Amino acid sequence: MSDLQERAQALDTADELAPLRELFTLDDTVYLDGNSLGALPRHVPARLQEVLTREWGELRIRSWDESGWWTAPERIGDRIAPIVGAAAGQIVVGDSTSVNVFKAVVAATRLAPEGRDEILVDADTFPTDGYIAGSAARMTGHRIVPVAPADVPGALGPRTAAVLLNHVDYRTGRLQDLPGLTATVHAAGAIAVWDLCHSAGALPVGLDAHGVDLAVGCTYKYLNGGPGSPAYLYVAERHQAVFDSPLPGWTSHADPFAMTPGYAPAEGAVRGRVGTPDILSMLALEASLDVWDGVGIEAVRAKSLALTDFFLECVGAYVPEGRVVPVTPAAHGERGSQVALRCADAGPAMSALIARGVVGDLRRPDVLRFGFTPLYVGFADAERAARVLADVLAAPAA
């Protein structure tokens, strides 16, 4: 056993989060793609079976009241809230991330002071965010200004209505300065909108503490909600009375069953609802969140940084020199919970890794991406992944 293998074993033995791995359905594969799709918590199938057979099969329509279906979007939002540093009553679950980005961006322009006609968007954003923001801008008469997050302070001005940024860059794993950028946006009189897809469940966010206005995020990555599980929308309490959703659906009406032709918005984050909730996927998500009971996000962050540090050390020790170049920042304050490595033959390398039981993913054209989910990834996983990567890159081309 190598020194690194021995260290991995010792680190796993000392890891306070290690027992959580048993809560998930996992095999001998090293699964480092939880930043795309989280692993399945073991108890979720039984919960879904109960929903299918009893709540839907027996109670049928009665389950909207008797099984709590109707209030699920707010109830589950309150369970996500502490993970992202929000008080109860500010998060509603439902729709996709893309739909919630649209709601948030348009609502942000309506919250902004009169006369502002620019929306600043992360130039390296996940593509959908840019597509949605561009459409929102066309519909509202605003102009999109793509800008790198580091350049946001210099791009802000009296015309800036809103700024849409990703907390963690999905390609490189770079963590943006949410507190500092939010404060800078506010100093310019604009509204800050954050996409938390690659940070929620991996590191502290502090939505309330840092004064974020609006935020969106998915639940199928670090929150393990399942493929296509519903996203969420955060509306800071101070904005809720005037939050004006561009999608005023019937379930966000103050009296949804009155079925009146005129729209009167409900109070609170409920205004972020649109149509009938996706109950099966929503209740799977609710069950998945049980794995967070008693887990502090600070402990998750500490393990995330230790895992990614150790993986980078193993890569440096094992992988032939010059074959990969880390693009994820080394500084802890600038790193999310993934490691991205630039590799000339990244496509074949990732295929070979997966064939050998190490699952990461490829970001074309040349980035190998490895996500570290602290609830179920261990240090032995990190060491093995680096060792197999070294073998793959040392092997002659086929």
Side-chain angles (χ1 to χ4, degrees), residues 188-242:
I191 301 296
V193 183
W194 285 92
D195 182 328
L196 310 178
C197 285
H198 288 271
S199 59
L203 52 90
V205 177
L207 292 177
D208 287 353
H210 303 308
V212 170
D213 299 295
L214 301 165
V216 301
C218 66
T219 60
Y220 47 79
K221 294 182 172 66
Y222 297 107
L223 299 183
N224 310 297
S229 57
Y232 57 90
L233 171 68
Y234 165 88
V235 182
E237 184 178 13
R238 65 185 181 279
H239 292 311
Q240 290 178 2
V242 291

Side-chain angles (χ1 to χ4, degrees), residues 236-382:
E237 184 178 13
R238 65 185 181 279
H239 292 311
Q240 290 178 2
V242 291
F243 176 79
D244 186 5
S245 173
L247 297 173
W250 75 283
T251 70
S252 64
H253 195 285
D255 188 1
F257 293 98
M259 303 297 176
T260 57
Y263 179 74
E267 294 183 359
V270 177
R271 290 185 177 205
R273 291 179 62 154
V274 184
T276 305
D278 298 323
I279 289 300
L280 297 183
S281 59
M282 191 165 290
L283 296 186
L285 165 63
E286 183 175 34
S288 296
L289 291 171
D290 289 348
V291 301
W292 285 91
D293 290 348
V295 177
I297 194 65
E298 292 78 12
V300 170
R301 175 58 168 167
K303 182 177 175 181
S304 165
L305 292 172
L307 277 169
T308 48
D309 278 346
F310 185 64
F311 178 68
L312 286 167
E313 181 183 353
C314 292
V315 168
Y318 291 153
V319 175
E321 186 174 356
R323 296 292 279 118
V324 298
V325 177
V327 294
T328 301
H332 285 182
E334 299 175 5
R335 187 196 308 166
S337 197
Q338 70 183 55
V339 172
L341 304 173
R342 183 158 284 121
C343 178
D345 47 356
M350 183 53 70
S351 295
L353 280 167
I354 293 171
R356 299 188 191 194
V358 175
V359 178
D361 70 3
L362 169 71
R363 283 294 175 260
R364 292 185 295 178
D366 61 353
V367 172
L368 301 170
R369 196 178 69 154
F370 303 94
F372 289 83
T373 306
L375 298 190
Y376 54 77
V377 173
F379 293 89
D381 294 322

Side-chain angles (χ1 to χ4, degrees), residues 34-321:
N35 54 335
S36 291
L37 176 64
L40 171 69
R42 291 183 183 276
H43 67 284
V44 170
R47 172 61 181 134
L48 276 180
Q49 186 64 34
E50 178 186 26
V51 173
L52 290 169
T53 58
R54 182 175 182 276
E55 295 183 11
W56 182 13
E58 297 175 13
L59 296 179
R60 294 177 286 276
I61 197 69
R62 292 162 53 192
S63 275
W64 286 104
D65 290 324
E66 295 180 29
S67 301
W69 287 3
W70 184 258
T71 57
E74 299 84 62
R75 182 177 71 245
I76 302 171
D78 284 347
R79 293 194 65 183
I80 293 172
I83 300 174
V84 294
Q90 299 178 99
I91 293 179
V92 64
V93 173
D95 307 308
S96 67
T97 305
S98 301
V99 172
N100 283 315
V101 168
F102 178 76
K103 297 177 202 172
V105 171
V106 174
T109 66
R110 295 172 177 178
L111 288 170
E114 290 289 333
R116 293 177 177 245
D117 62 355
E118 291 183 349
I119 302 170
L120 271 57
V121 177
D122 187 340
D124 297 318
T125 187
F126 188 78
T128 289
D129 285 18
Y131 305 155
I132 294 292
S135 179
R138 293 191 298 274
M139 292 176 64
T140 58
H142 287 69
R143 183 171 75 96
I144 285 289
V145 181
V147 59
D151 297 332
V152 165
L156 291 164
R159 296 179 61 180
T160 308
V163 181
L164 171 63
L165 295 169
N166 281 254
H167 196 191
V168 173
D169 186 291
Y170 79 101
R171 291 188 187 90
T172 67
R174 176 176 290 277
L175 173 65
Q176 307 299 347
D177 180 11
L178 182 147
L181 287 170
T182 299
T184 301
V185 169
H186 288 167
I191 301 296
V193 183
W194 285 92
D195 182 328
L196 310 178
C197 285
H198 288 271
S199 59
L203 52 90
V205 177
L207 292 177
D208 287 353
H210 303 308
V212 170
D213 299 295
L214 301 165
V216 301
C218 66
T219 60
Y220 47 79
K221 294 182 172 66
Y222 297 107
L223 299 183
N224 310 297
S229 57
Y232 57 90
L233 171 68
Y234 165 88
V235 182
E237 184 178 13
R238 65 185 181 279
H239 292 311
Q240 290 178 2
V242 291
F243 176 79
D244 186 5
S245 173
L247 297 173
W250 75 283
T251 70
S252 64
H253 195 285
D255 188 1
F257 293 98
M259 303 297 176
T260 57
Y263 179 74
E267 294 183 359
V270 177
R271 290 185 177 205
R273 291 179 62 154
V274 184
T276 305
D278 298 323
I279 289 300
L280 297 183
S281 59
M282 191 165 290
L283 296 186
L285 165 63
E286 183 175 34
S288 296
L289 291 171
D290 289 348
V291 301
W292 285 91
D293 290 348
V295 177
I297 194 65
E298 292 78 12
V300 170
R301 175 58 168 167
K303 182 177 175 181
S304 165
L305 292 172
L307 277 169
T308 48
D309 278 346
F310 185 64
F311 178 68
L312 286 167
E313 181 183 353
C314 292
V315 168
Y318 291 153
V319 175
E321 186 174 356

